[in-house]
Amino acid sequence: MVTITAHKACFTGLILTLAIALLGWGMTPLNAATATLEGVLFALLPIVWVILAAFFTYNLSIRTGAIGHIKALLSNISPDRRIQALIIAWGFGSFMEAVAGFGTAVAVPAALLIALGFRPFLAAILCLLANTIAVAFGVVGIPVITLGQVTGLPMTELSTAVVLQLTPFVMLVPAIIVLTVTRNLKDAAAVWLPILVAGGSFGVTQFLTARYIGPELPAIIGSVASFASIIACVRLLPPDTIWRFPDEAAGQDVAAPQTLSQASPVDLKAQLTAWAPYLILLVIVLATSRLVPPLNTLFGAVKTSLPIYTGDGAKPLVFSWLLTPGTIVLVSALIGGFLQGARPSVLLSVFLATAKQLRKTALTVICIVAMAKILGYSGMVFSIATGMVAVTGAAYLFFAPLLGALGTFITGSDTSSNILFGPLQSEIGSRLGLSPVWLAAANTSGACIGKPISPPS
């Protein structure tokens, strides 16, 4: 079996899409070129920009040693394996997805679980299971923001619909995580209260944030609320018995190994410094959101509108330079890095190394977005929608999430799935007399299910 890397496959797909658009759909060379250019620029800002900023934040935390302090705090909260899985895989993993994403949400918590004594395969499975709900709002809401941009649908309505669709899974996934650890329903049910708190706190805060603030913060605030709520729950009402793996001695010390960090998790100054980039990110997003209209208006005014595509249905491509998630994440990382003692030369070297690290990822995203623009402008998406409506009729409502899951399975990215299929979902909704918002949101919801089983994950 011959395999091909993602960036090569996507580049090949882009070339084939261009050929089909030119030869089979009568797209003029100028329209094809400008559609491709629009896709490239849209991929660079905001998508590649936020990926670069998110990975820069994480790599900087490794260089400054901040990640060691974070690991020390997380690993010493409870010796119970069920609680550790909830806190690290679900709570911290969801937070990493919300502020960094693109693999860190699996790699970082999985490494921590392994360091605590979890079997590597089990640690990976737990973090993949947990890497579902927060995927919908990804890094600072970029999947939903992108979905709104490619479909023209209102952000608040999209955000609210996504949260409502995911509510049952918010309650289900923590239970599945604990059951995967214990492989025993009785032992899993013994911590029903932390499981309920983990899902309920995430779901309620995510809904309120999506409904009244916007798509940037639901996963961040939801994961922080869940993380804090689990800790408070097990501190106030600890499990009756400490559950360990069957091959562990009953009195075995399962505290974090010293290799994780020599810092004490109760060192408040060290913890605040380590978490500084993420705390600053939270403050900046809140300060520039709709909660503070003057700042939102002021920063939102710094934008550029460029007409690029030359064919019918063209809309100017708008670049919001200060309010784009990538800029906010980068500024937070730079300020946090200074607070952690990083010199300008260190910041620059980490940034350049991160850019080099992500060059293939950037090419993959650019090709996917450019291909999606060609599919949309050439009329291919409209034709696909027409065919799917003819085959499924009103029953398509039940197939919409599967399309989103397929997109994430192929690309490994909710954002890419939304770019590929979001306009198609909205178009089908309009043609069937169904809610375009609800079907577009279903693409994101389905993408969450496709994320843990995708080959890139």
Side-chain angles (χ1 to χ4, degrees):
M1 179 179 178
V2 178
T3 60
I4 183 171
T5 56
H7 68 285
K8 291 181 180 179
C10 290
F11 181 75
T12 303
L14 173 60
I15 298 301
L16 291 175
T17 302
L18 273 170
I20 294 170
L22 291 168
L23 301 176
W25 292 83
M27 204 174 190
T28 67
L30 179 60
N31 286 351
T34 53
T36 303
L37 177 60
E38 182 175 310
V40 170
L41 295 177
F42 182 64
L44 290 173
L45 188 81
I47 302 170
V48 172
W49 184 227
V50 76
I51 297 173
L52 176 61
F55 259 95
F56 170 68
T57 305
Y58 174 63
N59 288 339
L60 186 61
S61 72
I62 295 176
R63 177 70 71 87
T64 62
I67 196 68
H69 295 280
I70 293 173
K71 287 180 176 180
L73 172 66
L74 296 178
S75 59
N76 285 279
I77 294 170
S78 172
D80 190 298
R81 297 305 196 179
R82 299 166 298 184
I83 303 302
Q84 288 176 347
L86 275 179
I87 291 173
I88 296 173
W90 171 256
F92 183 61
S94 296
F95 179 78
M96 288 301 297
E97 178 64 34
V99 298
F102 302 100
T104 61
V106 174
V108 177
L112 179 54
L113 288 174
I114 293 168
L116 288 175
F118 282 69
R119 293 181 300 280
F121 185 74
L122 176 61
I125 292 297
L126 293 174
C127 293
L128 286 169
L129 287 172
N131 191 220
T132 47
I133 305 303
V135 169
F137 291 94
V139 182
V140 201
I142 197 67
V144 176
I145 292 172
T146 303
L147 180 63
Q149 291 173 337
V150 299
T151 60
L153 298 172
M155 299 286 185
T156 301
E157 292 184 24
L158 279 174
S159 302
T160 305
V162 169
V163 172
L164 290 174
Q165 291 175 7
L166 290 176
T167 296
F169 300 98
V170 171
M171 304 306 298
L172 182 62
V173 172
I176 294 176
I177 290 172
V178 173
L179 186 59
T180 303
V181 172
T182 64
R183 298 185 182 182
N184 182 292
L185 186 59
K186 180 180 178 181
D187 290 332
V191 287
W192 65 268
L193 184 58
I195 291 172
L196 183 64
V197 167
S201 57
F202 195 112
V204 170
T205 51
Q206 184 174 241
F207 171 78
L208 294 175
T209 307
R211 181 68 182 84
Y212 296 106
I213 297 179
E216 295 87 358
L217 287 175
I220 295 178
I221 294 181
S223 60
V224 169
S226 183
F227 176 76
S229 297
I230 298 169
I231 296 174
C233 179
V234 298
R235 292 295 191 188
L236 295 173
L237 297 168
D240 294 334
T241 58
I242 300 300
W243 191 92
R244 293 180 172 89
F245 295 120
D247 56 352
E248 290 180 324
Q252 184 177 343
D253 181 10
V254 292
Q258 287 298 309
T259 54
L260 284 178
S261 174
Q262 299 299 323
S264 169
V266 297
D267 185 343
L268 182 60
K269 181 180 179 181
Q271 290 298 327
L272 288 176
T273 302
W275 289 90
Y278 306 115
L279 295 173
I280 293 168
L281 171 64
L282 184 61
V283 171
I284 293 178
V285 173
L286 284 172
T288 56
S289 70
R290 292 177 300 167
L291 294 177
V292 188
L295 282 179
N296 183 268
T297 302
L298 177 64
F299 287 99
V302 183
K303 59 185 178 182
T304 303
S305 180
L306 295 177
I308 297 176
Y309 181 59
T310 53
D312 295 334
K315 295 180 181 179
L317 192 60
V318 179
F319 299 95
S320 183
W321 300 103
L322 297 182
L323 284 186
T324 189
T327 300
I328 295 174
V329 173
L330 181 63
V331 169
S332 304
L334 291 173
I335 297 174
F338 278 121
L339 293 176
Q340 292 168 359
R343 300 186 304 275
S345 59
V346 172
L347 296 173
L348 180 60
S349 66
V350 173
F351 184 85
L352 293 176
T354 304
K356 182 179 180 181
Q357 174 189 3
L358 296 176
R359 62 190 186 280
K360 293 181 181 179
T361 300
L363 178 59
T364 300
V365 173
I366 288 170
C367 291
I368 288 174
V369 178
M371 184 168 57
K373 287 290 184 180
I374 297 169
L375 288 170
Y377 282 134
S378 67
M380 294 187 209
V381 168
F382 180 82
S383 296
I384 295 172
T386 303
M388 295 192 72
V389 168
V391 172
T392 62
Y396 177 78
L397 184 65
F398 300 98
F399 292 92
L402 296 179
L403 195 60
L406 175 64
T408 308
F409 176 79
I410 294 171
T411 66
S413 165
D414 190 345
T415 303
S416 296
S417 178
N418 286 342
I419 293 169
L420 283 173
F421 298 128
L424 173 63
Q425 302 273 23
S426 177
E427 178 69 27
I428 291 176
S430 299
R431 292 180 64 81
L432 290 176
L434 302 171
S435 169
V437 169
W438 192 258
L439 284 184
N443 196 83
T444 289
S445 300
C448 295
I449 309 302
K451 183 65 180 285
I453 60 172
S454 68
S457 292

